[in-house]
mmCIF file of all heavy atoms in Angstrom:
data_model
loop_
_atom_site.group_PDB
_atom_site.id
_atom_site.type_symbol
_atom_site.label_atom_id
_atom_site.label_comp_id
_atom_site.label_asym_id
_atom_site.label_seq_id
_atom_site.Cartn_x
_atom_site.Cartn_y
_atom_site.Cartn_z
ATOM 1 N N GLY A 469 38.117 -1.514 1.448
ATOM 2 C CA GLY A 469 39.385 -2.212 1.612
ATOM 3 C C GLY A 469 40.093 -2.480 0.298
ATOM 4 O O GLY A 469 40.878 -3.408 0.168
ATOM 5 N N ASN A 470 39.823 -1.621 -0.713
ATOM 6 C CA ASN A 470 40.408 -1.865 -2.010
ATOM 7 C C ASN A 470 41.865 -1.412 -2.147
ATOM 8 O O ASN A 470 42.488 -1.578 -3.165
ATOM 9 C CB ASN A 470 39.570 -1.174 -3.111
ATOM 10 C CG ASN A 470 38.221 -1.853 -3.291
ATOM 11 O OD1 ASN A 470 38.118 -3.070 -3.107
ATOM 12 N ND2 ASN A 470 37.195 -1.082 -3.631
ATOM 13 N N LYS A 471 42.371 -0.790 -1.080
ATOM 14 C CA LYS A 471 43.758 -0.359 -1.132
ATOM 15 C C LYS A 471 44.677 -1.579 -0.989
ATOM 16 O O LYS A 471 44.249 -2.691 -0.706
ATOM 17 C CB LYS A 471 44.062 0.640 -0.009
ATOM 18 C CG LYS A 471 43.291 1.954 -0.180
ATOM 19 C CD LYS A 471 43.804 3.033 0.779
ATOM 20 C CE LYS A 471 45.146 3.549 0.315
ATOM 21 N NZ LYS A 471 45.564 4.704 1.105
ATOM 22 N N THR A 472 45.923 -1.377 -1.170
ATOM 23 C CA THR A 472 46.879 -2.513 -1.069
ATOM 24 C C THR A 472 46.915 -3.032 0.371
ATOM 25 O O THR A 472 46.552 -2.347 1.306
ATOM 26 C CB THR A 472 48.293 -2.035 -1.466
ATOM 27 O OG1 THR A 472 48.719 -1.048 -0.537
ATOM 28 C CG2 THR A 472 48.265 -1.400 -2.878
ATOM 29 N N GLU A 473 47.363 -4.264 0.504
ATOM 30 C CA GLU A 473 47.414 -4.890 1.817
ATOM 31 C C GLU A 473 48.323 -4.155 2.765
ATOM 32 O O GLU A 473 48.236 -4.245 3.984
ATOM 33 C CB GLU A 473 47.889 -6.351 1.659
ATOM 34 C CG GLU A 473 46.826 -7.210 0.981
ATOM 35 C CD GLU A 473 47.205 -8.687 0.993
ATOM 36 O OE1 GLU A 473 48.225 -9.029 1.635
ATOM 37 O OE2 GLU A 473 46.519 -9.483 0.351
ATOM 38 N N ALA A 474 49.249 -3.355 2.218
ATOM 39 C CA ALA A 474 50.172 -2.617 3.087
ATOM 40 C C ALA A 474 49.478 -1.431 3.769
ATOM 41 O O ALA A 474 50.002 -0.864 4.707
ATOM 42 C CB ALA A 474 51.369 -2.085 2.260
ATOM 43 N N SER A 475 48.295 -1.041 3.283
ATOM 44 C CA SER A 475 47.609 0.079 3.836
ATOM 45 C C SER A 475 46.922 -0.270 5.170
ATOM 46 O O SER A 475 46.479 -1.387 5.372
ATOM 47 C CB SER A 475 46.556 0.595 2.867
ATOM 48 O OG SER A 475 45.745 1.598 3.447
ATOM 49 N N ASN A 476 46.837 0.686 6.071
ATOM 50 C CA ASN A 476 46.117 0.476 7.332
ATOM 51 C C ASN A 476 44.855 1.342 7.376
ATOM 52 O O ASN A 476 44.367 1.635 8.461
ATOM 53 C CB ASN A 476 47.021 0.794 8.515
ATOM 54 C CG ASN A 476 47.514 2.242 8.549
ATOM 55 O OD1 ASN A 476 47.269 2.959 7.553
ATOM 56 N ND2 ASN A 476 48.166 2.636 9.611
ATOM 57 N N CYS A 477 44.353 1.707 6.219
ATOM 58 C CA CYS A 477 43.168 2.564 6.137
ATOM 59 C C CYS A 477 42.042 1.911 5.340
ATOM 60 O O CYS A 477 42.273 1.382 4.273
ATOM 61 C CB CYS A 477 43.520 3.913 5.466
ATOM 62 S SG CYS A 477 44.806 4.815 6.278
ATOM 63 N N VAL A 478 40.863 1.973 5.892
ATOM 64 C CA VAL A 478 39.663 1.485 5.165
ATOM 65 C C VAL A 478 38.593 2.518 5.309
ATOM 66 O O VAL A 478 38.388 3.078 6.396
ATOM 67 C CB VAL A 478 39.158 0.119 5.725
ATOM 68 C CG1 VAL A 478 37.841 -0.274 5.093
ATOM 69 C CG2 VAL A 478 40.197 -0.962 5.492
ATOM 70 N N VAL A 479 37.897 2.826 4.233
ATOM 71 C CA VAL A 479 36.762 3.754 4.244
ATOM 72 C C VAL A 479 35.484 3.003 3.924
ATOM 73 O O VAL A 479 35.443 2.214 2.983
ATOM 74 C CB VAL A 479 36.980 4.894 3.210
ATOM 75 C CG1 VAL A 479 35.733 5.803 3.138
ATOM 76 C CG2 VAL A 479 38.209 5.701 3.590
ATOM 77 N N GLU A 480 34.464 3.207 4.724
ATOM 78 C CA GLU A 480 33.169 2.643 4.461
ATOM 79 C C GLU A 480 32.163 3.759 4.149
ATOM 80 O O GLU A 480 32.205 4.803 4.785
ATOM 81 C CB GLU A 480 32.644 1.873 5.680
ATOM 82 C CG GLU A 480 33.319 0.520 5.883
ATOM 83 C CD GLU A 480 32.596 -0.256 7.011
ATOM 84 O OE1 GLU A 480 32.695 0.207 8.158
ATOM 85 O OE2 GLU A 480 31.957 -1.249 6.725
#
Side-chain angles (χ1 to χ4, degrees):
N470 290 328
K471 295 192 73 171
T472 63
E473 292 187 5
S475 173
N476 61 352
C477 302
V478 173
V479 174
E480 285 187 292

